[in-house]
Amino acid sequence: MRTAALVLVLLLGPAEAFEISLEPYREARRAGALGTVAGRVVAEPRTRRAPGRPFANTTITLVPHSPSVLATLERLKEGSRGSTKAFTAAAPTMRKTLEGYERELLEAGAPDLNALVLVDHDGGFKIDDVPAGAWLLVAWHGTPVDVSSPKAKARQRDIYQPQARLQGYQAVTVWLRDLTVGGGTTTSVELTDRNSWFRGVVEEKVPDTGR
């Protein structure tokens, strides 16, 4: 399994204006109250003797628990059921929300307060040296699907404004878990195709040149 050590660089300054308090993580670090988060991401086997199929190339993100980030993700999930447009926009917006949170951690003086690891060939992952406290784990897996749409005819391009053409999409599976990590303990996480939190798409479009 791949191991990622969380080395917290928690500086004074912008952190005071951050949404959550970083002090508990500082205190846990100073006290040596560090734990481990480990688990697997696999498809449940069809039979008891068959091994679970690993979800290769799944990324695991571990960040401090943020009520606002969690609320935004939940709102996007709920809203995705309202329309096709909302469903298509949900996964990309979730990704931008997480990336925005990571930038906020950087600006708050904690650039390494999030772990990002890739599962190994067995679908396993392990993150060491996690300060005791509340964390948010997000697992993200995408499967490419090629569904190239027909190219526009020359006459259609002359009449209508150029449109982006759907080349394919990523079938996205997202797992979301609230975790409480304790010092000197291992928090185990088992993620399967049956307990995913959200399934969506990330469209891949290219300009329609008609070629």
Side-chain angles (χ1 to χ4, degrees):
M1 292 185 178
R2 297 187 178 186
T3 301
L6 276 181
V7 181
L8 298 185
V9 183
L10 304 178
L11 306 177
L12 295 176
E16 277 66 27
F18 197 55
E19 177 210 12
I20 61 173
S21 173
L22 301 180
E23 187 56 31
Y25 300 96
R26 294 191 183 98
E27 293 179 354
R29 181 72 178 179
R30 288 194 294 264
L34 307 174
T36 297
V37 176
R40 294 186 69 205
V41 188
V42 298
E44 289 193 0
R46 296 183 178 180
T47 64
R48 292 183 178 179
R49 295 184 179 181
R53 175 179 58 81
F55 276 91
N57 299 318
T58 298
T59 57
I60 308 295
T61 301
L62 186 67
V63 291
H65 175 84
S66 165
S68 66
V69 169
L70 184 58
T72 298
L73 296 175
E74 291 285 2
R75 187 164 57 249
L76 289 168
K77 175 186 176 181
E78 184 65 25
S80 70
R81 302 168 183 169
S83 68
T84 300
K85 183 178 181 180
F87 174 76
T88 302
T93 308
M94 288 177 184
R95 172 60 73 186
K96 290 180 181 178
T97 298
L98 292 170
E99 291 173 350
Y101 183 34
E102 292 171 1
R103 286 194 299 271
E104 288 180 0
L105 287 171
L106 176 62
E107 294 169 358
D112 299 316
L113 192 56
N114 68 287
L116 177 63
V117 299
L118 189 68
V119 299
D120 62 22
H121 66 281
D122 289 325
F125 64 91
K126 184 179 181 183
I127 305 173
D128 290 322
D129 297 336
V130 181
W135 294 82
L136 185 66
L137 182 144
V138 182
W140 187 283
H141 179 268
T143 301
V145 180
D146 185 1
V147 291
S148 298
S149 58
K151 299 178 181 178
K153 296 180 180 180
R155 185 170 182 276
Q156 292 175 322
R157 294 196 307 277
D158 292 339
I159 297 175
Y160 303 106
Q161 291 291 330
Q163 299 293 324
R165 178 166 56 87
L166 181 64
Q167 186 177 45
Y169 66 89
Q170 292 273 336
V172 173
T173 303
V174 181
W175 293 265
L176 183 67
R177 297 290 185 274
D178 263 324
L179 303 179
T180 299
V181 177
T185 65
T186 296
T187 301
S188 298
V189 183
E190 291 297 323
L191 307 176
T192 74
D193 53 335
R194 296 186 181 182
N195 66 11
S196 62
W197 174 77
F198 177 76
R199 293 179 185 271
V201 297
V202 176
E203 292 185 336
E204 299 173 352
K205 294 185 176 182
V206 296
D208 191 350
T209 62
R211 297 180 181 180

